[in-house]
Amino acid sequence: MALGISGRSAILIASSRGLGRACAESLAREGVHVVINGRTEADVLRTCDELRDAYGITASPVVGDATTPDVHDALLAACPQPDIVLLNGEGPPPTAFGDIDAARWADALQRTMVSPLLFVQRVIDGMQQRRFGRIVAISSAMVKSPNPLMSMSHGPRLGLAGVLKGLSKSAVAHNVTINTILPERFDTGRQQQMAQLVMRFKGISYEEARAEQVASIKAGRLGRPGEFGDTFAFVCSAQAGYMSGQSIQLDGGSYEGVF
Amino acid sequence: MALGISGRSAILIASSRGLGRACAESLAREGVHVVINGRTEADVLRTCDELRDAYGITASPVVGDATTPDVHDALLAACPQPDIVLLNGEGPPPTAFGDIDAARWADALQRTMVSPLLFVQRVIDGMQQRRFGRIVAISSAMVKSPNPLMSMSHGPRLGLAGVLKGLSKSAVAHNVTINTILPERFDTGRQQQMAQLVMRFKGISYEEARAEQVASIKAGRLGRPGEFGDTFAFVCSAQAGYMSGQSIQLDGGSYEGVF
Amino acid sequence: MALGISGRSAILIASSRGLGRACAESLAREGVHVVINGRTEADVLRTCDELRDAYGITASPVVGDATTPDVHDALLAACPQPDIVLLNGEGPPPTAFGDIDAARWADALQRTMVSPLLFVQRVIDGMQQRRFGRIVAISSAMVKSPNPLMSMSHGPRLGLAGVLKGLSKSAVAHNVTINTILPERFDTGRQQQMAQLVMRFKGISYEEARAEQVASIKAGRLGRPGEFGDTFAFVCSAQAGYMSGQSIQLDGGSYEGVF
Amino acid sequence: MALGISGRSAILIASSRGLGRACAESLAREGVHVVINGRTEADVLRTCDELRDAYGITASPVVGDATTPDVHDALLAACPQPDIVLLNGEGPPPTAFGDIDAARWADALQRTMVSPLLFVQRVIDGMQQRRFGRIVAISSAMVKSPNPLMSMSHGPRLGLAGVLKGLSKSAVAHNVTINTILPERFDTGRQQQMAQLVMRFKGISYEEARAEQVASIKAGRLGRPGEFGDTFAFVCSAQAGYMSGQSIQLDGGSYEGVF
């Protein structure tokens, strides 16, 4: 299926590893030029090299924590007129509600909600004027099913989802879509780290911790990053311009609710 | 993007025109063999001819109203082991709630909810055993935003959505996904008919009636059938196996709700 | 708190036992005249006697299965101008999806969805003209969280919820509200029967089966029928006229979804 | 209807006017001792006097902006062991998305989301130990239907709703419920101010601006504060202990979505 986006340009925040990297790869394969971002220079450069070599597109590295205005500047310097933007970032650690003080809240909100919105501010008008834009946020399945141990994750992410939904209502008239993808348990480094946490916390083996992850997913397996990347690429396609304001769960069918 | 379904087989209920036809075309283009169904023989045969000629796949015609067991038999005779099933059908006419008697309810429910479920019964076990299945229902954006004049549409469709969601929870472990797509105002014969109804009802011109349709969609245009077909094809792809139980709105971003 | 409905009249379908009876009691206590309905004459008559004695209101018995037009006639003969209507009825038994044939679907839909809607048809215009109406349906928490073994329950109930929501949009302008309450695991005869089913099915004791019920509820206990009845009474109050189209879960906080 | 909370104690944030005041009045009428809070001393003192006189309960004034730790301290000094807490506060002004800088986001989030959560932190453990608690947040109908001009309102409020929902899952086992009420267009000073804004902005009369407000509500009228207060009181009742994690819309039936 031709996605109609060959030659377009994308800024992908937090794309040197995991789901972000998979998104970059799926876009690059479709001929999209990409800006790759991450905090570890070696990861960013390697990703750029690999995508350039494999797909012949332009891949520009921007190293740094993309929750800061400086890195926003650098991303836009690397690609002043992006057609596609991926909003992504590391989730906060599990924290008991009673341990979240004002400073932790402020930090989690700045990183997970405010910073992506400030970046959207800088790109949305241009997208609307050029009459093409695809903004996609990677969120978490927990936004629709909040878990009391993950308040710092689903709180800011729900706020982000709501603001993006509001914006989507006016942007779609200009062929700028804004959608959110809600993953649960993909086979990335994050789940390996989580398994190690659980292993130590419960005193079980790594294999047992991994088996618990699998058991929590109705599909009976973890998601493959390429499945995520290809869904993202479809949402960014030319023919997805009539779909906006959606929250698409990629969770192995695990969400309980009818809507 | 390779969808990984070339050579697979699909039964597409109500696929000789409109959105169903667009779904058939997007699958055929990906190398999927299709069973085309509709009530008008000429439409069915022409669709088969055109898809066969354009894409070199097998296209088998089954003429008849697919809400009957006989046509279910014929569909399964034409394709005993479908990998993909499209559940589709004509929506009921707008009817004031006070005019819906027991017989009309029974008929609308049989056609729009029970009949698709009986067809699912006949295919889901085989899909699970063969460890691949993609079941997709075309519903309506109204299921999430009920309109008092369309009770006979959103009532049965909500019932269908709920039962399919329940089924999706057990099917996904066998790589059988069940999803629903909720269109609003695609540029098909249905919207032309609706415009003619409104034209007569309000005493306005056809162009005015069409303009009202466009004005009701936040994207500022009607959807293109190919946009629907390609979304359907993606949902049927090999790499969409981790997405199930979803209700995806294709409505030009018009739905008001955050979820 | 004064509910402002003393002297009003209510038809309560399936109100001789369980949650329906609790609803009747909470209304009677507020001075509402009630029509009590059930299939077992002794239960209906005893309920009428008890409510009359306790609260000094009029309690009229209508014996019979309220999914039939004859019983609808009798209910309206007993109370031609109801201010309040409770839609209630026995849920269908758990049934594997593969075992639900066309006849079972038709029966479940007629009983659980169509029959209540036909009764609403007969009362809603009068309520609107008299500018007071409170229609409340008892549904099930499963409508928002479908369980694959309960298709015959959540399918029809979701259809009902959708049609009622659509109707609520026009009715509210006439001070007629339409709401749904979604219970999960109240301490009624129904849960005792379910425990006996589970006891036999799993080969465990009745106490163990009851403990499983409790464990499935986040509140750590079953609901008390009076809690349900009082919520119903509040929804029927004069001051609840600004609340309509709501689905209120009474489930011990068990629903996972944010909305 | 007896609510079973006579003699209990409530802290009501932002309760000297409008909906908060209505909540205080409905509780006081049921015999609940109240802490009244607001930024204008005269309003706070008058409210205390009036409630004390009318209902014979204890009414303690706490003057100040309740988004600060100092006022949290004062509230808890006035009532160290609250049974009931109302989370309320002034909504942020309508602001175009492009005008919301990092400082405005931080301020809106601190006031509308973080500050209420920090107050919940201080009361929830005690409520759980005492095995009774009713926490209710006044939010806005917009959280389920985001409006692009109100990002600073629905963003933080959605975040708050999500965190409260997560917390509700563990609190309910201790008879502590956490619910949210979502008002739209009640006849308070806030709507009068909004009408004046619209009057100037659109160059229409105040009466026309008020008529527009009414026209936006399906009930054909604004809500009455007492309707809100009584719903709040019911949610705080003893018999509402099985209802938690709910978002109840009080919007004249205006919300479009089925759930």
Side-chain angles (χ1 to χ4, degrees):
Chain A
M1 179 158 66
L3 299 189
I5 50 177
S6 179
R8 294 214 175 262
S9 297
I11 294 175
L12 299 122
I13 292 175
S15 55
S16 63
R17 291 188 307 211
L19 297 182
R21 153 100 202 212
C23 290
E25 179 131 13
S26 291
L27 283 191
R29 195 192 57 214
E30 302 298 316
V32 176
H33 306 297
V34 294
V35 177
I36 300 298
N37 162 254
R39 286 167 302 175
T40 306
E41 186 171 28
D43 289 347
V44 174
L45 295 180
R46 189 177 53 245
T47 297
C48 285
D49 288 344
E50 292 174 356
L51 297 182
R52 226 182 272 120
D53 289 353
Y55 304 111
I57 45 77
T58 306
S60 310
V62 173
V63 177
D65 177 345
T67 66
T68 65
D70 286 356
V71 175
H72 288 185
D73 290 344
L75 291 165
L76 289 166
C79 177
Q81 299 198 335
D83 301 301
I84 294 168
V85 164
L86 173 69
L87 305 171
N88 185 29
E90 198 173 31
T95 310
F97 175 67
D99 294 337
I100 314 174
D101 60 14
R104 282 185 170 179
W105 273 123
D107 183 61
L109 287 161
Q110 199 283 327
R111 297 180 68 82
T112 306
M113 178 179 166
V114 175
S115 162
L117 290 173
L118 294 175
F119 193 69
V120 169
Q121 260 187 356
R122 296 182 68 172
V123 300
I124 194 168
D125 289 347
M127 286 177 167
Q128 293 189 173
Q129 285 154 21
R130 299 188 302 273
R131 294 196 64 79
F132 186 93
R134 300 287 182 265
I135 297 171
V136 181
I138 302 185
S139 182
S140 156
M142 267 176 303
V143 300
K144 292 182 72 171
S145 241
N147 172 333
L149 273 180
M150 298 299 287
S151 299
M152 284 203 303
S153 172
H154 62 253
R157 288 188 202 280
L158 258 170
L160 178 63
V163 177
L164 292 178
K165 174 71 192 186
L167 293 178
S168 76
K169 295 182 181 181
S170 48
V172 71
H174 308 280
N175 192 28
V176 175
T177 67
I178 307 177
N179 292 287
T180 303
I181 308 181
L182 313 179
E184 187 161 321
R185 299 214 187 273
F186 273 77
D187 193 4
T188 63
R190 169 107 174 153
Q191 288 304 320
Q192 292 166 19
Q193 287 167 8
M194 297 286 267
Q196 279 160 349
L197 272 178
V198 169
M199 175 179 73
R200 285 192 289 269
F201 185 71
K202 295 197 179 176
I204 58 178
S205 72
Y206 182 75
E207 287 67 33
E208 287 167 329
R210 292 288 277 180
E212 279 190 8
Q213 291 180 341
V214 167
S216 75
I217 296 295
K218 288 199 170 65
R221 65 174 175 91
L222 302 191
R224 298 172 197 115
E227 294 177 312
F228 193 95
D230 280 7
T231 304
F232 167 76
F234 180 74
V235 172
C236 294
S237 71
Q239 60 264 59
Y242 204 65
M243 174 168 71
S244 193
Q246 294 297 292
S247 293
I248 299 172
Q249 281 156 303
L250 280 186
D251 64 353
S254 300
Y255 178 64
E256 292 291 340
V258 66
F259 292 130
Chain B
M1 181 158 66
L3 299 190
I5 49 176
S6 178
R8 293 213 175 263
S9 296
I11 294 176
L12 300 121
I13 291 175
S15 55
S16 62
R17 290 188 305 210
L19 297 182
R21 153 99 203 213
C23 291
E25 179 130 14
S26 291
L27 284 191
R29 194 192 58 214
E30 301 298 317
V32 175
H33 306 297
V34 293
V35 175
I36 299 298
N37 162 253
R39 286 167 301 176
T40 305
E41 187 172 28
D43 289 346
V44 175
L45 296 180
R46 188 177 53 244
T47 297
C48 285
D49 288 344
E50 291 173 357
L51 297 182
R52 226 183 271 120
D53 290 354
Y55 304 110
I57 45 78
T58 307
S60 310
V62 172
V63 177
D65 177 345
T67 66
T68 64
D70 286 356
V71 175
H72 288 184
D73 290 344
L75 291 165
L76 288 166
C79 177
Q81 299 198 335
D83 301 300
I84 294 168
V85 163
L86 173 69
L87 304 172
N88 185 29
E90 196 173 33
T95 309
F97 175 68
D99 294 338
I100 314 175
D101 60 15
R104 280 183 170 182
W105 273 123
D107 184 60
L109 287 161
Q110 199 282 329
R111 298 180 68 81
T112 305
M113 177 179 167
V114 175
S115 162
L117 290 173
L118 295 176
F119 194 69
V120 169
Q121 260 188 357
R122 297 182 67 171
V123 299
I124 194 168
D125 289 347
M127 285 176 168
Q128 294 189 173
Q129 285 154 21
R130 298 188 303 273
R131 295 197 62 79
F132 186 93
R134 300 289 182 262
I135 297 172
V136 181
I138 303 184
S139 181
S140 157
M142 267 176 301
V143 300
K144 290 181 76 172
S145 242
N147 172 333
L149 273 180
M150 298 299 287
S151 298
M152 284 203 302
S153 172
H154 62 253
R157 289 188 202 279
L158 259 170
L160 178 63
V163 177
L164 292 178
K165 173 73 191 184
L167 293 177
S168 76
K169 295 181 181 180
S170 49
V172 71
H174 308 280
N175 191 26
V176 175
T177 67
I178 307 177
N179 292 287
T180 302
I181 308 181
L182 313 180
E184 188 161 321
R185 299 215 186 272
F186 274 77
D187 193 5
T188 64
R190 168 102 175 158
Q191 288 303 322
Q192 292 166 17
Q193 287 167 8
M194 296 288 265
Q196 279 159 351
L197 272 178
V198 168
M199 175 179 73
R200 283 193 291 269
F201 185 69
K202 295 198 179 176
I204 58 179
S205 72
Y206 181 75
E207 287 67 32
E208 287 167 328
R210 292 289 276 181
E212 280 190 8
Q213 291 180 340
V214 168
S216 74
I217 296 295
K218 288 199 170 63
R221 64 174 176 90
L222 302 192
R224 297 173 198 114
E227 295 177 311
F228 193 96
D230 279 8
T231 304
F232 167 77
F234 180 74
V235 173
C236 294
S237 71
Q239 61 263 59
Y242 205 64
M243 175 169 71
S244 194
Q246 295 296 292
S247 293
I248 299 171
Q249 280 156 302
L250 281 186
D251 63 353
S254 299
Y255 178 65
E256 292 291 340
V258 66
F259 292 130
Chain C
M1 181 158 66
L3 299 189
I5 49 178
S6 178
R8 294 214 175 261
S9 297
I11 295 175
L12 299 122
I13 292 176
S15 55
S16 63
R17 290 187 307 208
L19 298 182
R21 153 99 203 213
C23 290
E25 180 130 13
S26 291
L27 284 191
R29 196 193 56 214
E30 301 298 316
V32 175
H33 305 296
V34 294
V35 176
I36 300 298
N37 162 254
R39 286 167 301 177
T40 306
E41 187 172 29
D43 289 346
V44 174
L45 295 180
R46 189 178 52 246
T47 297
C48 285
D49 288 346
E50 291 174 357
L51 296 182
R52 227 183 271 120
D53 289 353
Y55 304 109
I57 45 77
T58 307
S60 311
V62 172
V63 178
D65 177 345
T67 66
T68 64
D70 285 357
V71 176
H72 289 183
D73 290 344
L75 291 166
L76 289 166
C79 178
Q81 300 198 334
D83 300 302
I84 294 168
V85 164
L86 173 68
L87 304 171
N88 185 29
E90 197 174 34
T95 309
F97 175 68
D99 294 337
I100 313 174
D101 60 15
R104 280 183 170 181
W105 273 122
D107 184 60
L109 287 161
Q110 200 283 327
R111 297 180 69 81
T112 305
M113 176 179 168
V114 175
S115 161
L117 290 172
L118 294 176
F119 193 68
V120 169
Q121 258 187 357
R122 296 182 67 171
V123 299
I124 195 168
D125 289 347
M127 286 177 167
Q128 295 189 174
Q129 285 154 21
R130 298 188 302 273
R131 293 197 64 79
F132 186 94
R134 299 289 181 263
I135 297 170
V136 181
I138 302 185
S139 181
S140 158
M142 267 177 302
V143 299
K144 291 182 73 172
S145 241
N147 172 332
L149 273 180
M150 298 299 287
S151 298
M152 284 203 303
S153 172
H154 61 252
R157 288 189 202 279
L158 258 169
L160 177 63
V163 176
L164 292 178
K165 173 72 191 184
L167 292 178
S168 76
K169 295 182 181 180
S170 48
V172 72
H174 308 280
N175 192 27
V176 175
T177 67
I178 307 177
N179 291 287
T180 302
I181 307 181
L182 314 179
E184 187 161 321
R185 298 213 187 274
F186 273 77
D187 193 5
T188 63
R190 168 104 175 157
Q191 288 303 321
Q192 293 167 16
Q193 287 167 8
M194 296 288 266
Q196 280 160 349
L197 271 178
V198 168
M199 176 180 73
R200 284 192 290 270
F201 186 71
K202 294 197 178 176
I204 59 179
S205 73
Y206 180 75
E207 288 66 32
E208 288 167 327
R210 292 289 276 180
E212 280 191 7
Q213 291 179 341
V214 168
S216 75
I217 297 295
K218 288 199 170 64
R221 63 172 176 91
L222 302 191
R224 297 172 198 115
E227 295 177 311
F228 193 95
D230 280 6
T231 304
F232 167 77
F234 180 74
V235 173
C236 295
S237 72
Q239 60 265 57
Y242 205 64
M243 175 169 71
S244 194
Q246 295 297 291
S247 293
I248 298 171
Q249 280 156 302
L250 280 186
D251 64 352
S254 300
Y255 178 64
E256 293 289 341
V258 66
F259 292 131
Chain D
M1 181 157 65
L3 300 189
I5 50 178
S6 179
R8 294 213 175 262
S9 297
I11 294 175
L12 300 122
I13 292 176
S15 55
S16 63
R17 290 188 306 209
L19 298 182
R21 153 100 204 212
C23 291
E25 179 130 13
S26 291
L27 284 191
R29 197 192 55 214
E30 302 298 317
V32 175
H33 305 297
V34 294
V35 175
I36 300 298
N37 162 254
R39 287 167 300 176
T40 306
E41 186 172 28
D43 289 347
V44 174
L45 296 180
R46 190 178 50 244
T47 297
C48 285
D49 288 345
E50 292 174 356
L51 297 182
R52 225 183 272 120
D53 290 354
Y55 305 110
I57 46 77
T58 308
S60 311
V62 173
V63 177
D65 177 345
T67 66
T68 64
D70 285 357
V71 176
H72 288 184
D73 290 344
L75 292 166
L76 288 166
C79 178
Q81 300 198 335
D83 301 302
I84 294 169
V85 164
L86 173 68
L87 305 171
N88 185 28
E90 197 173 33
T95 311
F97 175 68
D99 294 336
I100 314 174
D101 60 15
R104 282 185 170 180
W105 273 122
D107 184 60
L109 287 161
Q110 199 282 327
R111 297 179 69 80
T112 305
M113 176 179 167
V114 174
S115 162
L117 290 173
L118 294 175
F119 193 69
V120 169
Q121 260 187 356
R122 297 181 67 172
V123 300
I124 194 167
D125 289 348
M127 285 177 168
Q128 295 190 171
Q129 285 154 21
R130 298 188 302 274
R131 293 198 64 79
F132 186 92
R134 300 287 182 263
I135 297 171
V136 180
I138 303 185
S139 181
S140 157
M142 267 177 302
V143 300
K144 292 181 74 171
S145 241
N147 172 333
L149 274 181
M150 298 300 287
S151 298
M152 284 203 302
S153 172
H154 63 253
R157 289 188 202 280
L158 258 170
L160 178 63
V163 176
L164 292 178
K165 174 70 193 188
L167 293 177
S168 76
K169 295 182 182 180
S170 49
V172 72
H174 309 280
N175 191 28
V176 175
T177 66
I178 307 177
N179 292 288
T180 303
I181 308 182
L182 314 179
E184 188 162 321
R185 298 214 187 274
F186 273 76
D187 192 4
T188 63
R190 168 110 175 151
Q191 289 303 320
Q192 292 166 19
Q193 287 167 9
M194 296 288 266
Q196 278 159 351
L197 272 178
V198 168
M199 176 181 71
R200 284 193 290 270
F201 185 71
K202 294 197 178 175
I204 58 179
S205 72
Y206 181 75
E207 288 67 33
E208 286 167 328
R210 293 288 277 179
E212 280 190 8
Q213 291 180 340
V214 168
S216 75
I217 296 295
K218 287 199 171 65
R221 64 174 176 92
L222 302 192
R224 297 172 198 116
E227 295 177 312
F228 193 95
D230 280 6
T231 304
F232 167 77
F234 180 74
V235 172
C236 294
S237 71
Q239 61 264 57
Y242 205 64
M243 174 169 70
S244 194
Q246 294 297 292
S247 293
I248 298 172
Q249 281 155 303
L250 280 186
D251 64 353
S254 299
Y255 178 64
E256 293 289 340
V258 65
F259 293 130

